[in-house]
């Protein structure tokens, strides 16, 4: 068997999404063989992330500063908040380069099955932000899944007393599809053809 | 976009075998979200491996000690050396629990295409080891690929003047198959039915 130290590394790597026990073993071996060019840089990158990256207390993005660079960027539009389930979706939208407003990361969707209720998501803070006079529109960019759409409708109800227009992403996002899997063009099209939530 | 620190982490993760840019992003995000239970343990595991793991100067295995625990294990059979291409293959054989001799890691196969010649592999040191009066058999457990079999024949020739019996793994290893992909049973059967190299 491999040395205990390598076994521990394999065990931790196999917990990463996309890496099973076998690919974790390959990855560990690759790291050990490429100590200088891979293992050491990865070790340092992890330490840097551990030390610097925090959750933005305004929007929920992950960044080296709190508030994050998106929240503090003066060139972005304060009047629109785009609500996403996860930081990965925020990144996907940023990569699509089609949105210049602010974001709000929910941290998931409502889910009866997983026992996730409104109190488990950052909905209160969204409502607080939407009450600002600066905000005129909230785009609900949750997934086109049942849970994603249930969440969007729930949030639309919560925002009823705020003076904002509430919209959802246009059809164009494949039904059942997760945002992070889409190409930039589809995301961009779905965003620009967004429709008002009924 | 994500913070520079996270981008750097994603970039390094995407160099691991089995992780593309997209899965590297997922993995990075997962790590950041699970700082205490995943990022920090991974960071420490990497540091431990970086500090402790070295290549065994006898057999080429990776371990915390040099010579490695397999080379120093008094219960193992000194009379048989099993020659493998890579440390991953050594680990696969150890998992199959079917070999109790010593190992020798070549560090690859001869390859005209990749310009890998005999001097790039640990063949000299194998011949040295095979000259010991303790050694009576060398098992060539290279892959059943063209390069693997070419390498096996080349090594068999090099060992001609040593007083050892040279064997290859039995047919049972699928042609074109790499050792590390096989289940333990197949490996075990191929090993016990090993045949003498002509
Ligand atoms: Zn922010
Ligand atoms: Zn050794």
């Amino acid at each position: 068997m491999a040395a205990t130290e390598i076994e521990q590394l394999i065990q931790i790597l196999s917990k990463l999404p996309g890496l099973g026990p076998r690919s974790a073993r390959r990855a560990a071996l690759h790291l050990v063989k490429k100590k200088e060019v891979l293992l050491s840089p990865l070790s340092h990158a992890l330490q840097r992330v551990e030390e610097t990256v925090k959750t933005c207390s305004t929007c929920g993005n992950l960044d080296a500063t709190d508030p994050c660079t998106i929240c503090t960027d003066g060139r972005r539009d304060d009047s629109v908040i785009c609500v996403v389930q996860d930081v990965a979706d925020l990144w996907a939208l940023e990569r699509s380069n089609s949105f210049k407003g602010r974001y709000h990361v929910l941290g998931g969707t409502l889910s009866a099955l997983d026992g996730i209720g409104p109190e488990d998501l950052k909905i209160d803070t969204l409502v607080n932000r939407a009450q600002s006079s600066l905000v005129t529109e909230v785009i609900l960019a949750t997934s086109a899944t049942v849970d994603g759409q249930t969440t969007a409708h729930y949030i639309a109800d919560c925002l009823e007393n705020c003076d904002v227009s509430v919209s959802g992403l246009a059809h164009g996002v494949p039904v059942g599809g997760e945002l992070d899997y889409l190409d930039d063009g589809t995301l961009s099209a779905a965003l620009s053809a967004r429709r008002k939530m009924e």
Side-chain angles (χ1 to χ4, degrees), chain A:
Chain A
M1 291 301 153
T4 326
E5 290 79 6
I6 301 179
E7 286 294 347
Q8 276 164 356
L9 177 59
I10 293 170
Q11 215 215 323
I12 297 166
L13 284 172
S14 68
K15 290 179 189 160
L16 291 179
L19 283 182
R22 190 167 185 290
S23 45
R25 215 149 50 212
R26 293 242 138 188
L29 196 57
H30 198 71
L31 282 163
V32 177
K33 284 183 190 165
K34 311 243 170 190
K35 255 192 193 181
E36 275 73 34
V37 297
L38 204 55
L39 192 149
S40 177
L42 177 56
S43 175
H44 287 117
L46 286 168
Q47 283 172 60
R48 285 276 294 153
V49 166
E50 193 176 8
E51 285 158 15
T52 60
V53 175
K54 29 196 155 296
T55 302
C56 173
S57 54
T58 304
C59 75
N61 187 18
L62 293 165
D63 205 344
T65 56
D66 177 18
C68 72
T69 45
I70 293 178
C71 283
T72 52
D73 184 345
R75 290 159 305 178
R76 296 189 75 116
D77 185 355
D78 273 320
S79 69
V80 199
I81 296 175
C82 182
V83 178
V84 291
Q85 294 171 199
D86 196 279
V87 177
D89 299 327
L90 186 162
W91 292 354
L93 283 161
E94 282 297 286
R95 282 197 304 277
S96 82
N97 213 25
S98 53
F99 180 69
K100 291 296 164 206
R102 309 293 181 183
Y103 288 99
H104 192 87
V105 179
L106 290 175
T109 54
L110 298 175
S111 166
L113 215 64
D114 298 331
I116 299 172
E119 65 286 355
D120 299 312
L121 306 176
K122 303 273 181 219
I123 296 177
D124 286 358
T125 49
L126 172 65
V127 174
N128 285 344
R129 291 179 72 190
Q131 277 160 349
S132 153
S133 58
L134 290 169
V135 180
T136 57
E137 183 180 6
V138 172
I139 305 174
L140 300 174
T142 50
S143 294
T145 57
V146 172
D147 282 344
Q149 292 309 298
T150 304
T151 308
H153 282 103
Y154 180 88
I155 293 174
D157 288 346
C158 295
L159 294 171
E160 219 160 49
N161 296 324
C162 301
D163 191 19
V164 291
S165 144
V166 179
S167 55
L169 290 186
H171 277 300
V173 178
V175 172
E178 300 199 67
L179 282 196
D180 192 22
Y181 283 79
L182 296 179
D183 62 289
D184 299 348
T186 309
L187 268 175
S188 188
L191 195 71
S192 66
R194 64 186 177 269
R195 60 193 163 65
K196 206 171 178 329
M197 293 284 285
E198 310 300 322

